[in-house]
Amino acid sequence: MVEEIYMRRPIMAGNWKMNNTVSESVELVKGLIEKAEGTERDFVVCPPYTALYTVSELIKGTEIKLGAQNIHFKEKGAYTGEVSPLMLKELNVEYVIIGHSERRQYFGETDETVNKKIKTAFEYDMKPIVCVGESLAQREGGIAEPIVKGQLVNGLKNIDSKDAERVVIAYEPIWAIGTGRTATSEQANDMIKFIRSVLAGIFGKEAADTVRIQYGGSVKPGNVKEIMAQSDIDGALVGGASLKVDDFAQIMNY
Ligand code: PGA
């Protein structure tokens, strides 16, 4: 059992959200490159679209990997304001955040669009970071598990179990995002164990054991060690604290 846990390579990802101009992105990523040397973990930065090209050029040959914050499911066409998988692929984007709660809440993302986008990511050889998580009302109402299960079952519909090892799941309780209120590491670990059991139902146990599951929601240098010490947590998806070199470097190298 312990061996299986160590086989999953930790993945620490920074979701910059709608922050950082190109010049701010350059400064941040240059700082991170230095701090990432020689790592055996996966470090991912997810800049806004406008900075993707510049960041992509800067990180060539370094330990920092590139992620996008969204993707469209069509290759091209009349979809004003959207960015296609082809465009991302050309910039060496390796990971794509899909179904972040902010996109579900403000931009009409549903489990159905999440499902289409995951399939698109695979078609273009990118790895999805699929976000799931319950609201405070849902947790207090005792329905956190069925909500998360529904997001997984519908979001991962018709995904082949041979693709499971390319999937990253980010468990992000909505009430812990940007609020300074972290789930206790035990709460996070319990839900992540539950997520893996749901994945076993979808993909089979062996494939489910290859999926990396991150925790996200107010991860900071001060709490990352405790979170990463949990038995089932394979990484973190970090918002606010990924915007400062020192903070994110401490998180990467917890
Ligand atoms: P936060 O955001 O770290 O600022 O809470 C996490 C996220 O939304 O991915």
Side-chain angles (χ1 to χ4, degrees):
M1 210 50 204
V2 170
E3 240 173 74
E4 280 175 14
I5 290 160
Y6 284 116
M7 270 162 47
R8 291 193 295 266
R9 189 174 156 106
I11 173 166
M12 312 306 278
N15 173 11
W16 297 359
K17 307 191 180 183
M18 198 175 71
N19 295 292
N20 289 336
T21 61
V22 173
S23 50
E24 287 165 341
S25 301
V26 168
E27 206 176 309
L28 176 52
V29 87
K30 278 188 175 163
L32 295 175
I33 287 169
E34 252 174 61
K35 312 272 187 175
E37 274 170 28
T39 184
E40 297 198 345
R41 297 173 180 160
D42 284 338
F43 297 148
V44 185
V45 293
C46 305
Y49 282 143
T50 44
L52 273 179
Y53 174 74
T54 310
V55 171
S56 169
E57 290 294 303
L58 281 172
I59 61 177
K60 275 187 184 151
T62 76
E63 299 290 350
I64 304 284
K65 299 175 177 189
L66 193 58
Q69 297 175 21
N70 188 18
I71 186 173
H72 194 265
F73 40 83
K74 290 275 176 65
E75 188 176 282
K76 60 174 152 182
Y79 300 97
T80 303
E82 292 293 317
V83 171
S84 92
L86 209 57
M87 298 167 189
L88 298 179
K89 197 63 207 165
E90 194 182 35
L91 301 185
N92 300 316
V93 167
E94 191 176 335
Y95 290 89
V96 186
I97 299 173
I98 297 178
H100 190 280
S101 61
E102 286 150 17
R103 294 219 54 89
R104 294 179 191 254
Q105 200 175 341
Y106 308 129
F107 303 103
E109 194 88 70
T110 62
D111 291 339
E112 197 187 344
T113 57
V114 165
N115 183 251
K116 285 187 183 173
K117 290 178 178 192
I118 295 171
K119 289 175 181 162
T120 303
F122 285 146
E123 244 175 76
Y124 290 84
D125 204 21
M126 290 182 270
K127 302 180 191 97
I129 299 177
V130 184
C131 302
V132 296
E134 80 287 357
S135 67
L136 187 57
Q138 289 163 339
R139 175 159 285 261
E140 287 177 348
I143 54 168
E145 287 189 354
I147 289 290
V148 169
K149 182 175 182 178
Q151 291 168 340
L152 291 165
V153 169
N154 296 319
L156 296 169
K157 198 176 269 173
N158 299 324
I159 304 288
D160 203 298
S161 57
K162 73 168 170 26
D163 288 321
E165 64 180 3
R166 295 198 280 162
V167 175
V168 178
I169 303 287
Y171 168 57
E172 300 205 303
I174 296 169
W175 46 273
I177 295 178
T179 56
R181 184 177 165 180
T182 334
T184 65
S185 39
E186 231 177 37
Q187 275 173 326
N189 199 47
D190 285 350
M191 182 61 96
I192 286 176
K193 274 189 195 159
F194 171 74
I195 290 174
R196 196 171 302 285
S197 73
V198 174
L199 294 176
I202 299 173
F203 295 130
K205 179 164 182 339
E206 208 176 303
D209 280 342
T210 66
V211 178
R212 291 179 293 175
I213 308 177
Q214 299 174 307
Y215 167 76
S218 300
V219 175
K220 299 183 276 285
N223 60 21
V224 66
K225 266 202 176 67
E226 192 193 327
I227 291 167
M228 292 306 295
Q230 296 296 312
S231 60
D232 285 69
I233 302 181
D234 304 317
L237 182 57
V238 187
S242 72
L243 300 173
K244 292 200 187 111
V245 174
D246 286 346
D247 284 359
F248 195 57
Q250 281 182 60
I251 290 172
M252 296 188 312
N253 297 311
Y254 62 89

